[in-house]
Amino acid sequence: MNWFEDSKYRKLFDRSCVEIDLDALKNNIREIRRVSSPDADIMAVVKADAYGHGAIEVAKTLLDNGANGLCIATIGEAIHLRKNGITSRLLILGGTDSAYYEDAVKYDVDLAIYDIESARILSEEAVKQGKTTNIHIKLDTGMGRIGFATDGSSIDTIVEVCSMPGINPYGVFSHFAVADCDDDEYTENQYKRFIDTIAAVEARGVKFTKRHICNSAGILRFPEKHLDMVRAGLILYGLIPAGCPEGPTKINLKPVMTWYAKVIHVKEIPDGTTVSYGRHFTATRPTKVITISVGYADGLSRRFSNGFELMVNGQRLPIIGNVCMDMCMLDATDMEGEVAKGQVVEIFGKNRSADELADYLGTISYEITCDVGKRVHRIFVEDGKPVETK
């Protein structure tokens, strides 16, 4: 029996929920540890509320099962983790406005540094607080986002940054642009620029504790490039970057998030009846319509209107008419067996990948999980049963 079939959990599942399978999450971080270099720390990426999965509970589970630290995107995410008892290393991967450097130093958050002006302000703040703050020098090896240039022109500047008072050059990192594709020549060139720039900086007396460039695809495909640290993102959640070639070692990942909704109404409509806003669906036969308690305000894109299929009793039923803010309608005319109010509908998860939704929309699975709305309850499950959050 699924947990949502037990009456004592009825109030946990109002109209829509996502099940976060902590056992699957544990499996995935252990698998990542297995295929990663034993010399490399694992930084678990939990930005964007752990890709929509719930940052606090996910972070605690990952840290208890092999992760060495956490990567995030904003100072707000860092403070949220700290205030909820997370004491591990935290690294903000992108830019942080200098107005928040006081908080970064106060809460012991590692920052990515990629320009000298920011470094000077951070140095002053660290000295003011009487602390030493860890930085990770960001190098642009070919992503074209942020980072010091790797053509040799930034060596003096990087050395100056790493020598500032209150600054500890703990890490240096970059990001592969196409590790999830078969353009290995570009990836090799990025890696060479990364290693050559580090060597030039360290020849000037700077010593980095951690060098890291491998994202999820890099972890899977390039074990020889794991260096001192890797950053696991999408694979933590049981998904593989779209189109990513297989790596040398097979990894057994399990989907962590399953999104459910409920049937809230069943009815028959006659031939010629229209359904939903805009009247973009007209029944061409007597049709059994079931209404589902999920809509675009929950994260089910309106682009799924008129055609995309949801799963009821293991059967795929097409959405008819426009997806509404809080509901959508399915055609159950050809469904085998009975369908009744209260029946559970799976949007993605255990029985279909978020990749399928991503392919339909022409996007990636990251966006699908991140877009699941905040009003959709996150139910954390261990051993098949909901658990209280820690």
Side-chain angles (χ1 to χ4, degrees):
M1 182 174 73
N2 290 311
W3 63 267
F4 46 72
E5 296 172 316
D6 189 328
S7 60
K8 71 179 179 180
Y9 297 123
R10 185 172 180 180
K11 283 192 173 182
L12 292 179
F13 184 178
D14 173 17
R15 48 183 299 280
S16 180
C17 73
V18 286
E19 175 188 295
I20 307 299
D21 186 341
L22 297 179
D23 293 315
L25 188 65
K26 294 174 191 176
N27 169 82
N28 296 345
I29 185 63
R30 291 167 182 167
E31 281 289 287
I32 293 165
R33 177 71 280 171
R34 181 180 65 81
V35 303
S36 297
S37 166
D39 298 324
D41 285 354
I42 297 174
M43 293 292 281
V45 183
V46 296
K47 63 182 179 177
D49 198 31
Y51 293 33
H53 291 67
I56 300 304
E57 201 64 28
V58 165
K60 290 178 178 179
T61 299
L62 292 172
L63 291 168
D64 286 344
N65 288 274
N68 301 100
L70 306 170
C71 293
I72 59 231
T74 71
I75 191 68
E77 291 175 342
I79 293 172
H80 181 58
L81 290 167
R82 288 285 187 245
K83 288 186 174 180
N84 280 275
I86 302 298
T87 60
S88 71
R89 182 173 302 281
L90 301 180
L91 167 61
I92 295 179
L93 293 171
T96 302
D97 191 287
S98 60
Y100 296 96
Y101 284 178
E102 178 182 359
D103 289 327
V105 175
K106 174 183 176 182
Y107 287 101
D108 295 316
V109 180
D110 293 13
L111 295 183
I113 293 295
Y114 47 90
D115 66 80
I116 195 165
E117 294 80 9
S118 297
R120 288 184 179 126
I121 298 170
L122 181 62
S123 172
E124 290 172 2
E125 181 59 43
V127 170
K128 178 181 175 182
Q129 293 192 35
K131 298 178 72 173
T132 297
T133 192
N134 292 317
I135 66 167
H136 295 239
I137 294 292
K138 179 62 185 290
L139 301 178
D140 182 4
T141 58
M143 187 72 168
R145 293 192 301 194
I146 57 174
F148 288 106
T150 52
D151 59 1
S153 63
S154 297
I155 303 302
D156 290 346
T157 303
I158 296 171
V159 171
E160 182 178 350
V161 167
C162 293
S163 304
M164 289 179 179
I167 295 290
N168 175 39
Y170 180 79
V172 58
F173 74 113
S174 190
H175 194 86
F176 285 137
V178 288
D180 55 355
C181 305
D182 57 6
D183 188 358
D184 291 355
E185 182 179 358
Y186 194 83
T187 298
E188 292 294 344
N189 287 335
Q190 279 195 267
Y191 186 73
K192 184 177 187 304
R193 287 195 291 272
F194 184 61
I195 294 300
D196 288 350
T197 301
I198 293 172
V201 172
E202 291 194 333
R204 298 278 298 276
V206 174
K207 178 60 179 174
F208 298 108
T209 302
K210 300 293 182 182
R211 303 159 299 158
H212 49 110
I213 193 170
C214 280
N215 52 7
S216 285
I219 292 170
L220 298 180
R221 299 193 60 220
F222 303 107
E224 74 282 3
K225 296 177 174 60
H226 288 181
L227 299 173
D228 312 300
M229 183 181 283
V230 295
R231 305 184 305 269
L234 189 67
I235 56 177
L236 289 169
Y237 308 105
L239 297 164
I240 301 287
C244 184
E246 287 191 11
T249 304
K250 185 174 177 59
I251 189 168
N252 177 31
L253 300 176
K254 298 180 180 180
V256 175
M257 177 187 286
T258 302
W259 189 6
Y260 297 115
K262 288 181 178 179
V263 175
I264 60 172
H265 190 54
V266 182
K267 66 182 176 184
E268 301 275 351
I269 62 172
D271 180 7
T273 303
T274 60
V275 174
S276 197
Y277 291 109
R279 304 180 67 205
H280 296 300
F281 173 85
T282 302
T284 58
R285 59 177 178 169
T287 302
K288 180 183 288 187
V289 178
I290 60 176
T291 302
I292 308 302
S293 57
V294 67
Y296 61 77
D298 303 296
L300 186 71
S301 174
R302 202 166 179 269
R303 290 178 288 164
F304 288 124
S305 299
N306 266 323
F308 188 75
E309 297 171 332
L310 301 183
M311 297 188 68
V312 185
N313 270 358
Q315 299 174 60
R316 292 169 179 257
L317 306 182
I319 294 174
I320 54 176
N322 284 336
V323 173
C324 306
M325 182 179 287
D326 312 304
M327 292 173 275
C328 66
M329 284 64 72
L330 308 182
D331 183 349
T333 309
D334 297 323
M335 181 178 177
E336 296 180 5
E338 295 299 317
V339 61
K341 183 177 178 180
Q343 206 154 343
V344 172
V345 179
E346 181 178 322
I347 300 162
F348 69 80
K350 288 185 173 68
N351 297 297
R352 72 178 325 176
S353 174
D355 289 321
E356 190 176 331
L357 283 72
D359 289 344
Y360 190 89
L361 296 181
T363 185
I364 54 177
S365 56
Y366 304 74
E367 183 176 351
I368 298 300
T369 62
C370 287
D371 278 355
V372 178
K374 297 306 176 188
R375 72 178 187 179
V376 178
H377 299 167
R378 270 66 174 169
I379 312 298
F380 299 95
V381 173
E382 283 182 312
D383 297 325
K385 296 181 180 179
V387 295
E388 292 185 11
T389 55
K390 300 173 185 176

